[in-house]
Each structure stands twice: as structure tokens, then as C-alpha cells.
Amino acid sequence: GERRVFDVENPEVGVSFAEAVVLAESKFGTIGTVGSYSPPRSPGKYKGAGVGPSPAYSYSAAVAEVDVDASTGIVTVERIWIAHDIGKSINPMLVMGQVEGGVYMGLGEILMEEMSYRANRNVVHKIPSLLEYKSPTTMEMCDVKTYLIEDPDPNGPFGAKEVGQGPLLPVPPAVANAVYNAVGVRIDEVPITPEKVLKTLRDKSKGGDGRYGPVSIPSVEWPEPLRVLTPAEGGDGREMPHVAVHS
């Protein structure tokens, strides 16, 4: 039935929950409470044993609709559809605000935020002013359609997962893929500026491969990785073996 607040000894005397909230806030002002949550201990004392301070993985997916002006290289993001696995949405309005804030930050990364340096002098900024470090305004912010996917996780509070900056992650690759779908060039470097798009379009028209960005992965001398034994291999999966096992 309808959720009500009522006198236990005389159930007929009462009001609906919504009416009770109005009466309470009218009398006392904003009603709030505080609480705390401690995540479970990490399953191991080695890097990679957990998900940072978070006990659960969250997931995001995005679709971007963009308009690319092939004559100028200007990329305009019209709208983004984004779905975020929040686990359990304790406060949907705040969750959607976080998701859409992540979209905003993702647009900044993919379209304009850039640290440019003088040629061969990677410690000297080309334009030493934060006024030239651009971030989106309301004019660049696109329409956003947000979907909250609830797949509760037992390790989170009430089943909740993170909604910090996770929703940012799929936005740059979605926009980059949309640019490729629109004009057929791959920009493998952020931000995707008009200059890069135009240069790549011109290069492709002359028979180039239609890509812009790094052409190789830097060679790094990584140390030999350590492998933690699984239970099936005789380990307990919780701590480093006394004798390192190299894969």
C-alpha cells in the first residue's frame, strides 16, 4: 500500500510519506544525516590485488554523435548517450550529475585540453598562460542521455559502485571513433583539434594512410613480472609467495 507515517496506537491518524517530508522540512529546514563506509580489506598485499581503494569494478559505455566540417576540421559533438553501471543508485539525481560531469570532462580531453611545448624544448610551454588552456563552456557541452545500470555488488555500500570519474573514460574513444565514421580519418592523439583533422584529411587525399599521432610504442625496459600462484597452483591467492615465481 501507500507509504504512510502514522500513530501506531491509532493508525487512522497519519499522513503520506511525501506529506510528512513537507511538514518536517517546513518545521526544521533541510533534514540530513551523516554516515560512513569502510571498504573490505584488499585481498592481497601486492599491486593489482584489488581495485585501488574501491572494492568493485564499475563499467561505462558511450555512443557519440558528432558533426565534422571537412573544410575546416572543426569537430562538434552534438550528443552523447552514456550508460554507467552504478551498482545501486542511492541518489539517482547526484549520480546523473556525476555521470554528466564525467562527459563534460571527457569532451575537454578529446576536443581542446592540451599542454603544448616549444619544439625540442619539452620544458617550455608554447603559450605560458592558463587562459589558453581551454575547457568546454556551455556552448561546447553537448546534449547527454544518461542511463543508470544497476547491478549491485556485495562489497559496496547497499550494493553501490563508484561514480567518480569512471564515466569520463569512454567519451574520448567514442568521439574519436565517431570522427573516423564521419570523415574516414583516425586521430590517435588527444586532443582532436581542427588542425589535426584538416592535416590528416589533406594527407589522405594525397594517398596517405589517414592517421595522425604516434607511429610506434616507446621501447621500455620492464622488469620481469612476478606471478602470484592461484589456489589451483598451490597458492592461496592472497599474498606474494616466499619465493618469487617468474612467468
Side-chain angles (χ1 to χ4, degrees):
E2 182 182 2
R3 298 171 64 192
R4 297 176 67 250
V5 177
F6 56 87
D7 184 341
V8 175
E9 295 181 355
N10 187 4
E12 297 299 320
V13 178
V15 295
S16 70
F17 179 76
E19 290 173 316
V21 171
V22 171
L23 291 170
E25 292 206 338
S26 298
K27 182 175 182 178
F28 300 108
T30 301
I31 299 174
T33 187
V34 296
S36 63
Y37 162 76
S38 298
R41 296 183 63 180
S42 176
K45 297 181 180 179
Y46 48 89
K47 188 174 182 180
V51 200
S54 172
Y57 287 95
S58 63
Y59 301 90
S60 299
V63 175
E65 178 184 346
V66 307
D67 179 87
V68 183
D69 187 333
S71 64
T72 63
I74 294 176
V75 176
T76 304
V77 179
E78 302 288 352
R79 59 188 51 82
I80 283 181
W81 294 262
I82 184 162
H84 182 68
D85 170 16
I86 181 61
K88 172 63 179 175
S89 180
I90 297 173
N91 187 326
M93 184 175 69
L94 291 183
V95 172
M96 292 182 73
Q98 284 291 107
V99 172
E100 292 171 12
V103 171
Y104 168 84
M105 291 190 292
L107 289 178
E109 279 193 18
I110 192 61
L111 295 179
M112 58 193 69
E113 295 182 42
E114 182 175 27
M115 299 283 282
S116 56
Y117 300 90
R118 297 190 181 185
N120 302 320
R121 297 175 64 187
N122 287 338
V123 294
V124 180
H125 285 104
K126 185 178 293 185
I127 305 172
S129 169
L130 284 176
L131 293 175
E132 297 304 318
Y133 186 86
K134 303 300 184 182
S135 61
T137 68
T138 54
M139 300 298 291
E140 287 80 37
M141 183 60 183
C142 64
D143 291 333
V144 182
K145 178 64 176 177
T146 302
Y147 301 90
L148 302 184
I149 309 301
E150 293 188 293
D151 179 22
D153 188 280
N155 289 316
F158 304 104
K161 302 177 186 179
E162 71 84 31
V163 63
Q165 293 184 325
L168 177 158
L169 300 176
V171 174
V175 173
N177 283 338
V179 169
Y180 173 74
N181 183 261
V183 290
V185 296
R186 284 282 183 194
I187 311 299
D188 299 324
E189 180 181 286
V190 295
I192 297 180
T193 60
E195 292 82 2
K196 294 175 184 177
V197 174
L198 207 54
K199 181 175 181 179
T200 312
L201 284 171
R202 289 171 176 167
D203 177 66
K204 187 177 181 180
S205 70
K206 297 176 183 178
D209 61 2
R211 300 191 82 103
Y212 182 102
V215 295
S216 62
I217 299 174
S219 177
V220 178
E221 293 294 329
W222 296 108
E224 191 174 356
L226 293 175
R227 182 168 59 84
V228 178
L229 293 177
T230 67
E233 296 171 322
D236 60 11
R238 297 183 61 83
E239 58 185 18
M240 294 290 289
H242 294 296
V243 179
V245 178
H246 295 279
S247 57

